[in-house]
Amino acid sequence: MKLLEERIRKDGIVKPGNVLKVDSFLNHQMDVNLFNEMGKEFKRLFSDCPVNKILTIEASGIGIACIVAQHFNVPVVFAKKTQSINLDGEIYISNIESFTHKRSYDVIVSKKYITRDDHILIIDDFLANGCAVQGLIELIQSAGATVEGVGIAIEKGQQPGGTMLRSQGIRVESLAVIDGMNDETGEIRFR
Ligand code: 5GP
């Protein structure tokens, strides 16, 4: 998506450790007009899928997911990050290795909000090693629901997440795919 690539080029900041900062329009301050264009594009890309729910993960996926959901006219569920695990049987749980924070954490979703009848589109801001999305897929599978696909704003193609998910037969659509970044020059290459 040209608009998103141009914005990343203009306002994205490359940090050491293969991290792209997009705090000025996506991860901290949020450009909702841009999100709206992203929502339109995800709707076009997944127009053949019977999506009845969107699943994302707190915190930075929520803003994008809400605007995308308006285009699909469906509710959004976000997986909650938790340290204290409530094992009362009312939740689905999976463990995620964090790329940005280099630690693992549990995410939960109430059994009330994902059921076997659901056809779910996963939405997230970044795809790097794929752990976050894999954790969400596990939650959906625990519920016996269907993964219709994965919509990502920024895929870092130099990391293995995209290949790993596509090799499982999961449909992944990314609006911008980065091929490489240089934290000394600030250069960002797209696929
Ligand atoms: P993964 O689980 O695919 O390795 O990483 C995905 C998660 O890590 C995303 O939800 C995102 O919050 C975060 N993330 C991964 N890479 C980056 C990055 O380069 N910049 C930012 N801002 N977040 C990232």
Side-chain angles (χ1 to χ4, degrees):
M1 185 184 174
K2 268 271 152 306
L3 191 66
L4 180 59
E5 285 184 12
E6 280 165 12
R7 191 61 179 272
I8 295 167
R9 250 190 243 288
K10 183 167 152 277
D11 292 330
I13 298 166
V14 184
K15 295 282 187 188
N18 206 22
V19 171
L20 176 66
K21 277 265 183 198
V22 286
D23 279 7
S24 66
F25 62 96
L26 201 130
N27 280 150
H28 194 14
Q29 176 168 258
M30 297 185 280
D31 182 340
V32 293
N33 290 327
L34 175 66
F35 285 14
N36 197 41
E37 293 305 315
M38 288 160 52
K40 252 188 235 169
E41 182 61 5
F42 281 130
K43 176 67 184 161
R44 189 185 69 77
L45 291 166
F46 290 102
S47 60
D48 56 330
C49 299
V51 173
N52 77 326
K53 202 164 276 182
I54 285 175
L55 179 66
T56 188
I57 181 165
E58 69 176 351
S60 48
I62 297 175
I64 301 170
C66 286
I67 300 223
V68 173
Q70 288 191 306
H71 290 268
F72 286 84
N73 196 25
V74 299
V76 177
V77 176
F78 65 92
K80 295 187 176 198
K81 294 177 180 169
T82 177
Q83 248 117 38
S84 57
I85 303 159
N86 166 9
L87 287 174
D88 62 4
E90 298 305 311
I91 54 170
Y92 298 114
I93 185 161
S94 73
N95 189 264
I96 290 177
E97 198 81 38
S98 166
F99 172 77
T100 35
H101 300 112
K102 310 270 182 269
R103 61 177 180 82
S104 82
Y105 55 90
D106 291 314
V107 288
I108 58 155
V109 132
S110 165
K111 288 186 177 175
K112 279 189 281 194
Y113 303 127
I114 304 186
T115 69
R116 57 189 315 106
D117 299 329
D118 284 326
H119 290 256
I120 297 179
L121 175 63
I122 293 172
I123 293 286
D124 204 6
D125 58 344
F126 274 90
L127 176 60
N129 293 330
C131 301
V133 169
Q134 190 65 51
L136 296 179
I137 290 171
E138 282 165 24
L139 292 176
I140 295 170
Q141 288 170 340
S142 306
T146 306
V147 180
E148 287 294 334
V150 178
I152 297 291
I154 306 172
E155 176 176 340
K156 294 193 293 181
Q158 71 275 39
Q159 288 181 250
T163 305
M164 184 265 290
L165 294 170
R166 291 180 183 105
S167 71
Q168 295 173 38
I170 309 265
R171 179 165 169 192
V172 182
E173 301 280 3
S174 301
L175 302 183
V177 183
I178 289 171
D179 220 9
M181 310 189 291
N182 185 324
D183 63 79
E184 278 164 18
T185 63
E187 186 206 3
I188 302 167
R189 288 189 318 278
F190 292 95
R191 219 170 249 176

